[in-house]
Amino acid sequence: YRPTFSPDGQFLLFHNMRKVMIFRMDDLSAKHYKDIYCESFCQRNALVITPSSKFQMTADHKSIVFTCEDYSTGVRGFQKLFIYNIATSRMTDILSEEYSCGDFQVSDDGHIYYIQIQPDGSRYLYMVPFGDLKPVRVSQEKLGNYPTLSLAY
């Protein structure tokens, strides 16, 4: 589901709800690099990888940014946003408990852009510098109901 490239195009990631498959792009062909089983990403009981979950490698190829559904909220489609360190298996939550992630993109300059859904349903664009992971609201105006992100360089 949901294939994504790393910001530099060197890696391709996709999942089948059981594992995340990582391929290295080499001479216009994809060579299998690594598999990470979804249990590694669902370290809390109520987190579930669904077809709408998205995985994207960071620009330094050391971490994976991803979304998964949080069933503990009782709200269908409530997506949490995390960073998973490939070497240490450490998972860091980017969003506060009451917020959901609509979509995200990892930029080649080390930032994560995401659409944060507020408890009242309003949506805003946020940016997280990969260094300190402190979200900064980018849009002052509310976004439409179902926006998606695409970064242009």
Side-chain angles (χ1 to χ4, degrees):
Y1 297 98
R2 300 194 72 179
T4 62
F5 284 96
S6 60
D8 59 8
Q10 290 186 32
F11 289 91
L12 171 68
L13 283 76
F14 59 94
H15 73 91
N16 63 6
M17 297 187 350
R18 289 189 316 269
K19 63 183 174 182
V20 175
M21 292 152 278
I22 305 171
F23 288 83
R24 181 184 286 276
M25 302 306 293
D26 187 32
D27 296 328
L28 300 177
S29 65
K31 295 186 174 136
H32 184 261
Y33 176 72
K34 183 175 191 157
D35 290 337
I36 302 175
Y37 285 89
C38 288
E39 295 85 37
S40 298
F41 296 103
C42 298
Q43 296 174 5
R44 295 186 205 151
N45 288 338
L47 298 178
V48 178
I49 303 300
T50 66
S52 62
S53 295
K54 180 178 175 180
F55 296 82
Q56 189 176 15
M57 191 172 279
T58 56
D60 64 4
H61 308 143
K62 294 180 180 178
S63 298
I64 296 172
V65 179
F66 72 99
T67 57
C68 62
E69 198 159 330
D70 185 353
Y71 283 5
S72 71
T73 65
V75 177
R76 185 177 177 167
F78 195 89
Q79 296 280 329
K80 298 303 291 181
L81 182 63
F82 296 94
I83 296 176
Y84 175 83
N85 183 299
I86 296 170
T88 65
S89 300
R90 183 172 165 239
M91 192 170 88
T92 304
D93 193 345
I94 295 175
L95 298 177
S96 298
E97 291 299 317
E98 66 271 16
Y99 302 118
S100 179
C101 179
D103 192 17
F104 76 88
Q105 284 290 123
V106 178
S107 68
D108 62 354
D109 63 356
H111 295 80
I112 301 163
Y113 291 88
Y114 69 94
I115 296 169
Q116 180 172 290
I117 302 172
Q118 309 290 328
D120 68 0
S122 58
R123 292 160 167 79
Y124 293 94
L125 177 64
Y126 278 75
M127 183 269 302
V128 178
F130 195 68
D132 66 10
L133 299 179
K134 293 188 185 338
V136 175
R137 190 159 96 179
V138 176
S139 66
Q140 300 310 311
E141 301 293 322
K142 291 180 184 178
L143 303 176
N145 284 339
Y146 298 101
T148 58
L149 286 178
S150 182
L151 297 178
Y153 299 101

